Amino acid sequence: NHRPPARAAMAASSVRIYADFVSQPSRAVILFCRAARIPHEVKLTRLAKGANRTAEFLKLNPLGQVPVAEFEDGWALAESHAIMKYLCATHAEVEDSWYPSDARVRARLDAAMDMQHSQIRRCSTWTFARVMGPLGDLPAASPEVAEWHGKMARRSIKQFDSVLAQSAAEGPGSFLGGTERASIADLSVACELQQLEGVPGGVEFMQPSARVLDWQAAVKEQLQPHWDEVGSVLARVRAAAEAKGLRA
């Protein structure tokens, strides 16, 4: 049995993050580690190369997904939200604002992270149908399928606008839960929406509200210069899509 190391002992330790920068949850974990100054190293795990399907990787995560965090004693943890919550709990130097201890605020953030997986992930599904799949030499989605994914993605962004409105009514800040600093929930959702930047015309096609755009701009500002550095891969994806004539 692997027991989580004591909080004090973990504070100075390093964690290895298996990640692919094309993966939005991977970017979220890496951004969090950088912004929260958690000692870490990134093990690039190229999904397109099948690095997530090797026997060695499947021992870390039988689902074959990134990101995965591996700790000094060999214990590994998958799922971006679980990883970030665990790091918050085991690193004393992480500021409370990343995952506030206030029970109701934390519940709002948990709900937003659940929504990211169940609803806002549709933005990435649409991105894959329009660009990521064809760039990976996979059959392009039919116009009908791509249109359906696009419709669901636009709906999810409108729903998220309502969540931001609720947050604004509950607290003094403009971030999820009404907080004045971006949390791991803001980071997770922002990285999901960032995926649209890999599709030429993707952001414009989704027509996010001014509230959503202002919120994402505030998240980006708090996370600079890390945001641009970690997300630079999407500019290359967009350039490759333009070269192939792929658009929203």
Side-chain angles (χ1 to χ4, degrees):
N1 292 331
H2 287 293
R3 291 182 177 275
R7 185 184 182 102
M10 283 293 295
S13 69
S14 179
V15 56
R16 176 179 295 142
I17 307 296
Y18 293 80
D20 187 330
F21 286 87
V22 174
S23 155
Q24 60 277 21
S26 290
R27 295 197 304 273
V29 172
I30 294 169
L31 279 166
F32 171 62
C33 287
R34 289 191 181 189
R37 298 180 180 179
I38 295 174
H40 68 286
E41 62 175 286
V42 176
K43 177 70 173 177
L44 187 60
T45 307
R46 296 289 299 277
L47 302 180
K49 300 290 186 180
N52 58 315
R53 298 192 295 273
T54 65
E56 181 181 6
F57 184 84
L58 292 174
K59 289 180 181 178
L60 298 172
N61 182 10
L63 298 182
Q65 298 172 338
V66 291
V68 174
E70 183 183 21
F71 298 88
E72 290 183 335
D73 64 351
W75 188 67
L77 180 64
E79 298 295 336
S80 59
H81 298 162
I83 292 169
M84 291 188 287
K85 291 176 184 180
Y86 180 79
L87 292 173
C88 286
T90 55
H91 284 67
E93 73 274 22
V94 173
E95 295 180 4
D96 184 72
S97 59
W98 283 110
Y99 192 44
S101 53
D102 181 284
R104 289 193 173 182
V105 174
R106 180 170 287 193
R108 287 293 191 208
L109 301 185
D110 286 338
M113 286 186 279
D114 287 347
M115 180 187 182
Q116 180 231 326
H117 274 320
S118 66
Q119 302 295 325
I120 303 175
R121 176 57 55 86
R122 290 169 173 168
C123 294
S124 297
T125 304
W126 175 78
T127 300
F128 188 88
R130 295 298 301 163
V131 165
M132 301 293 188
L135 285 180
D137 294 326
L138 296 175
S142 69
E144 293 78 14
V145 170
E147 181 181 354
W148 184 85
H149 284 307
K151 179 180 179 180
M152 292 298 101
R154 285 193 295 270
R155 178 183 296 176
S156 73
I157 293 175
K158 288 182 179 179
Q159 292 171 334
F160 181 63
D161 177 84
S162 299
V163 171
L164 286 176
Q166 181 186 54
S167 292
E170 292 185 343
S174 59
F175 296 102
L176 289 167
T179 62
E180 296 181 283
R181 297 282 295 171
S183 67
I184 59 173
D186 294 279
L187 182 52
S188 295
V189 178
C191 283
E192 197 73 48
L193 294 179
Q194 184 190 27
Q195 206 78 346
L196 297 173
E197 297 174 13
V199 180
V203 176
E204 295 80 2
F205 177 79
M206 288 299 164
Q207 300 177 343
S209 67
R211 179 166 29 226
V212 172
L213 291 174
D214 289 346
W215 163 84
Q216 187 156 22
V219 175
K220 291 179 181 180
E221 181 179 2
Q222 180 178 318
L223 290 165
Q224 293 295 14
H226 312 300
W227 179 273
D228 288 343
E229 294 169 356
V230 174
S232 62
V233 65
L234 293 175
R236 297 193 293 273
V237 171
R238 184 169 61 251
E242 289 173 344
K244 282 197 170 186
L246 301 172
R247 291 193 56 81

